[in-house]
Amino acid sequence: MRVPLTWLLEFAPFPARPGDRPSVTALGQVMDDLGMVVEGIEVAGEGLGDVVVARVLEVGPIPGADRIRRVVVDRGAGEQVEVVCGAWNFGEGDLVPLAPVGAVLPGGFSISRRRMKGVTSNGMLCSGQELRLSDDAEGILVLGGQGVEPGTPLVEALGLDLDVVYDLAIETNRPDALCVAGVARDLAARLRLPFRLPEPPGAPVAGSLPASLEVVATDLCPRFLARVLDVGAVAPTPAWMARRLTLAGMRPIGPVVDTSNYVMLELGQPTHPYDLDRLEGQGLLVRRAEPGERLVTLDRVERVLGSHPRTGDPVDDCLICDAGGRPVGIGGIMGGRSSEIGPATRRVMLEAAWFAPMAVARTSRRLALRTEASVRFERGCDPSGIERALDRICQLLAGEGSGAGEVTGGSPGPTGTGAVVVPGLLEVGAVPPRPPVPLRTARVNAILGTALDDQQVVSYLAPLGFACTPVGPGLAEVEVPGWRPDVEREIDLIEEVARHHGYSKIPRTRPRSPRVGALSGYQRDRRKVRATLVGIGASEAWTSSLLGPLDHERAGLAGPVLEVENPMAREESVLRRSLLPGLLAAVVANTAHQDPEVALFEVGHVFAPRAGGVAPPGGAGAALRSEELVDEREVVALALARDGDDARQAVAAWRALAGTLRLAEPELVAASPPGLHPTRSARLVAGGVELGVVGEVDPSVLEGAGLGGRRVGWLELDLASLLASPRLPEEARPVSRFPSAEFDLAFVVDDAVPASAVEATLRQVAGDLLETVRLFDVYRGEGIAPGRRSLAYRLRLAALDRTLSAEDLGRLRAACVEAVEVAHGGQLRA
Amino acid sequence: MMAGVPLEELRAKALQEVEQAPGLEDLRRVEQEVLGRRSPLTLAHRSLGSLPLDERRDAGARINQVRSEIQEAIEGKRRALEEAERAARLEADRLDLTEVLATWGPGHLHLVTQTRDELEDVFVGMGFAVAEGPEVETDWYNFEALNYPPAHPARAAQDSFYLKVGEPEQVLLRTHTSPMQVRLLLTSELPIYAVMPGRCYRRETADARHRPAFHQIEALVVDRGITFADLAGTIEEFTEAYFGPGIASRLRPGSFPFTEPSGEYEVTCTICRGRGCRTCSGTGWIELGGCGMVDPAVFGNVGIDAEEWSGFAFGFGIDRLVQVRHGLSDMRVLQENDIRFLRQF
């Protein structure tokens, strides 16, 4: 909402003037404090405030100077000023702009007293360019106007009012502030200044109009008033109105439309003029749109109404038609092209209606058509303010001697452009009654933490138009004005009290939680998971949850995905099932930067449709939780793409995680999970539950991603399963006080025998004596038959009660050798 | 004096040899020569017996004095030589610690995670629990229960990604973390002191300050007798705890369907500390987020008596906080996963 200051000043004597910067800023701070956030303050005609009109009295040479002259001007009231000037395009008697000493011109150029060739220059005569009024830098701007007295401010002489425009962000709960009068009312209430709305004289109501009005869809359009004006001899829009419209951000079009817009900006009531002679049957009919009905709106776009564009279901669109039933406008949003006002328009039928907010909002949203009118109607207009708006338009268009009565103020210039109001008013529907809202002072204080009394509460509400009637101690009944459709409940009134009391004046207190704050076990462990992955050198990524439709397939992943109904781009149209596509893309991007040290992990949500998830009908409320339709899980994934990285590093990372979390029985089960290397991957299982996968990314996936020939280690875990899997017991295991002993065993076993199985056998045989067992060498090649390899283990052993003897160790060693031979066909390697 | 060698000469010669011994080995040899069994001094001592008794005592005392003098000199020299040798060994062992070969150290948590963790820790310190929920929500949880009726104008500001599941426009990616408020109000025992971080989505064109996906954190307190003053005080407490001293907060009216009265809150610009700079557009304040008292309609939707219980909520964008704190001109860098960026923090 763009609000010119001079317009605001029509309604209340605010202590701010366009030329007085501090006062302008201070008023803006009051707007901020009331929740009408100032996003910008623009000064129109800035830098011209100090410039006055002067009459040239004398022009003479300066000895020793051939490019500058001495000029004496009358700057008003007979005061003569001597200046030095380098321009030659004027002469004695001309009117010119003078920037006196101390003036600051547009762009911040300030005028000081200077001496040149022995002559004192007490100011500057200005060119059009210096004043930013034209591109002419050649000579002084010579003013042609007659009857302009020296000393007149230049802006006045040129009709350029200095003005300030506040650009305000208005919240959705403040429809009253979508007009200049509403902003002024709020400000005046806070500043305790008298506020005055324009009181246009009522145009004649009695009379039979040459037009008809019928409203069928009274639920979509509960109130509709219309007047007829003869605009055959209408004059152009007055300059003051055109300027205000421009400052407020609207383009002047023609007197009728401009006046309609002006009153909308002033009072908040949108209206729409139709060319009466282009309405079939000389009248209007308001009804629901039939499914598929079409209308070309003022913006030259054909709109389809009455049905949902995707489902084709019928929808409620309020259509304004002519008496013949032909659509001529979309109620509360935009008029149709066929009845547009033009130079040839003789008679105007003026609509001033109140449309149901929700209906306007739905239609506007579906058509993606937001207009000045639709924004106001969907937030809520004042159904009791329609007459005033109509009368105001009549006043501004018809002015004096038009039958609309005398102009009573509220406008800075002459009104009346020659239109004639045809006596008579068409009216359908009444202002809906609004019950008063009870307000308890105790409740105000209980919500705000204040100690206000009844009187203070009333003093904040009354200037806003709320009529408070005390009905008992601490209780009032509040009549809500029509311009506050947002206020329906006690809490809405409390907000108004808070706003006008001032948020900054509310005390600050600190409630105390009765519980100790803490992260959950899951949250603490998730931090450990992140810290462990950081510890092994990986950095955390944040990849998009939305992928392209082929991204999963490209990553070798299959399965149903959740699709976005209304994606912004095809490449962001499905929800990820896995972190693989995203992290792989991140690896590719980093590889493109020639970075050799890419190790990335991510903790994030993945999504899949829930198998068998049946959606109950809409309106299920709390009973239908998204979990029933969508399988959403938090996962952690790691992509290792540093030089030399492969599945081994991924397994090492998994072991680090399992160790940090003290998982009880993590197991690797060889497998070929989708997207992963078919012969270098495994599923991770603990306590019988699958936690995720580890290995390498499928070489063909890597090739497709442009990473052919590289290896990328991969680890992906379901966090909830991981963190819920069994942990080692909390009790500490005693450490032997006797020295440990160790021996190495190397076995030759078939490739098909997992090393983990050999290790398990060793653990079992060594039992309680085992401290650690570590696979320290794997060898294939000379001396070992093809299809077999040598696995070398180092066992550290100790007993709690004695130093293990050579015999103990010998027996144990023999038992290990025998067990591995029996269980796995492993032969001790000499 | 015996053997024709004057004691004084012996002493001087011995001391000189000790002094000149270049190494420990040499010193041992000198020691043997001047104090050993066959040294002139030892011999002189042995020959004392041949002196008359009265002379013997004096001569013995002199010999012993010289002997101990030489012994002391040898000890001193030994210590000096040992120290020199140790110093030489250490010198030979010298290492330039800055010549250590570069290796890649630990990785880096994402800036958003680091910030989220810090925020969580501050709230935990204030007695809050950390609550999390799904990113896919139903329209009821995301909007309707939060007092956004269908076609409410405030919905326009939170354009949603709807999913092709269930009824049309009923399942969506949450547009804020506030549906977690609904979940907590429905399932938690009162009172509630919780903070809710997480990822949200809005169908907005990406620019320097907006991304279709972003992270929010919001706090919810519901207890008996909670007031707007408590809200303002808690925001102040959080601001001080997170940003440190000298950073103040202020509130002004705002509008959210699920809170009333509602507000926007600002904190002292952390870049210029209130003096005014480019980050804060010269105002000295940075808009952080929204806040307000839980709207009675929300309590009604979840079956909580708004006369008995009251509460407040406030929240803000984590990414935005990161952007301001680290002076990121474009939010996009947070999602590019360029390791050259990630490594900086």
Side-chain angles (χ1 to χ4, degrees), chain B residues 191-214:
Chain B
I192 294 169
Y193 288 76
V195 66
M196 297 154 274
R199 192 176 292 184
C200 311
Y201 304 82
R202 286 185 198 173
R203 204 170 170 283
E204 286 178 353
T205 311
D207 64 24
R209 277 184 61 172
H210 298 92
R211 301 287 305 150
F214 58 96

Side-chain angles (χ1 to χ4, degrees), chain A residues 548-562:
Chain A
L550 298 176
D551 287 345
H552 286 102
E553 199 184 311
R554 288 194 192 108
L557 304 172
V561 290
L562 281 161

Side-chain angles (χ1 to χ4, degrees), chain A residues 110 137 347 396 451 470 489 523 587 657 662-663 668 740 749 828:
Chain A
S110 66
R347 294 188 302 164
L396 292 172
R489 305 168 300 165
Q523 289 161 344
V587 168
L657 273 183
R662 307 182 71 249
L663 299 192
L668 271 73
S740 310
V749 290
L828 189 66

Side-chain angles (χ1 to χ4, degrees), chain A residues 292-304:
Chain A
E293 239 176 315
R294 282 155 198 274
L295 166 71
V296 176
T297 39
L298 284 172
D299 55 3
R300 312 311 195 238
V301 177
E302 188 181 63
R303 312 279 173 178
V304 181

Side-chain angles (χ1 to χ4, degrees), chain A residues 308-350:
Chain A
H308 194 280
R310 185 163 55 83
T311 61
D313 292 341
V315 289
D316 286 340
D317 288 327
C318 180
L319 211 54
I320 314 291
C321 305
D322 60 23
R326 197 177 51 133
V328 293
I330 305 170
I333 301 179
M334 193 181 272
R337 196 185 166 188
S338 64
S339 54
E340 187 177 2
I341 303 296
T345 301
R346 319 298 303 170
R347 294 188 302 164
V348 164
M349 183 166 181
L350 189 59

Side-chain angles (χ1 to χ4, degrees), chain A residues 96-426:
Chain A
V96 293
L98 168 72
V101 170
V104 179
L105 293 185
F109 178 56
S110 66
I111 307 298
S112 55
R113 181 170 285 116
R114 294 169 65 192
R115 266 185 87 79
M116 282 174 279
K117 302 276 181 190
V119 180
T120 302
S121 185
N122 297 298
M124 187 173 96
L125 304 183
C126 309
S127 71
Q129 192 205 37
E130 282 158 343
L131 299 173
R132 304 240 169 123
L133 293 173
S134 73
D135 294 333
D136 185 5
E138 288 302 303
I140 297 305
L141 180 71
V142 178
L143 305 169
Q146 299 297 314
V148 178
E149 288 301 314
T152 309
L154 180 70
V155 287
E156 199 178 299
L158 292 178
L160 288 175
D161 282 343
L162 181 67
D163 211 337
V164 166
V165 181
Y166 293 97
D167 191 1
L168 302 182
I170 302 298
E171 301 282 1
T172 51
N173 67 337
R174 291 292 312 284
D176 65 298
L178 288 175
C179 63
V180 180
V183 172
R185 182 189 295 113
D186 211 30
L187 282 172
R190 165 58 76 87
L191 297 170
R192 308 268 149 182
L193 295 170
F195 168 77
R196 193 173 57 96
L197 270 180
E199 295 294 346
V205 172
S208 150
L209 289 179
S212 66
L213 173 64
E214 189 187 353
V215 178
V216 180
T218 50
D219 55 334
L220 304 181
C221 177
R223 190 149 198 256
F224 197 124
L225 274 64
R227 279 193 179 272
V228 174
L229 286 91
D230 186 334
V231 297
V234 79
T237 303
W240 63 265
M241 184 184 284
R243 178 161 167 83
R244 281 192 176 167
L245 287 172
T246 308
L247 291 178
M250 295 191 88
R251 194 168 50 88
I253 294 165
V256 176
V257 173
D258 291 348
T259 306
S260 164
N261 286 337
Y262 184 84
V263 171
M264 175 181 71
L265 294 173
E266 183 180 62
L267 300 175
Q269 171 68 44
T271 55
H272 187 75
Y274 300 86
D275 186 331
L276 180 58
D277 296 308
R278 292 168 77 183
L279 296 177
E280 197 185 316
Q282 307 273 297
L284 293 173
L285 164 70
V286 183
R287 61 168 171 84
R288 272 182 167 65
E290 300 290 334
E293 239 176 315
R294 282 155 198 274
L295 166 71
V296 176
T297 39
L298 284 172
D299 55 3
R300 312 311 195 238
V301 177
E302 188 181 63
R303 312 279 173 178
V304 181
L305 296 140
S307 55
H308 194 280
R310 185 163 55 83
T311 61
D313 292 341
V315 289
D316 286 340
D317 288 327
C318 180
L319 211 54
I320 314 291
C321 305
D322 60 23
R326 197 177 51 133
V328 293
I330 305 170
I333 301 179
M334 193 181 272
R337 196 185 166 188
S338 64
S339 54
E340 187 177 2
I341 303 296
T345 301
R346 319 298 303 170
R347 294 188 302 164
V348 164
M349 183 166 181
L350 189 59
E351 161 206 309
W354 183 59
F355 295 98
M358 286 299 179
V360 172
R362 276 192 208 100
T363 301
S364 159
R365 188 151 166 250
R366 203 184 57 255
L367 297 176
L369 180 59
R370 271 169 67 86
T371 61
E372 294 282 345
S374 76
V375 165
R376 287 173 173 80
F377 279 121
E378 72 177 45
R379 296 190 185 183
C381 289
D382 178 2
S384 58
I386 297 177
E387 284 90 341
R388 183 193 304 273
L390 265 185
D391 288 343
R392 180 75 170 141
I393 292 173
C394 292
Q395 178 193 27
L396 292 172
L397 273 177
E400 299 165 61
S402 64
E406 297 298 307
V407 173
T408 56
S411 321
T415 62
T417 50
V420 176
V421 179
V422 179
L425 175 70
L426 296 169

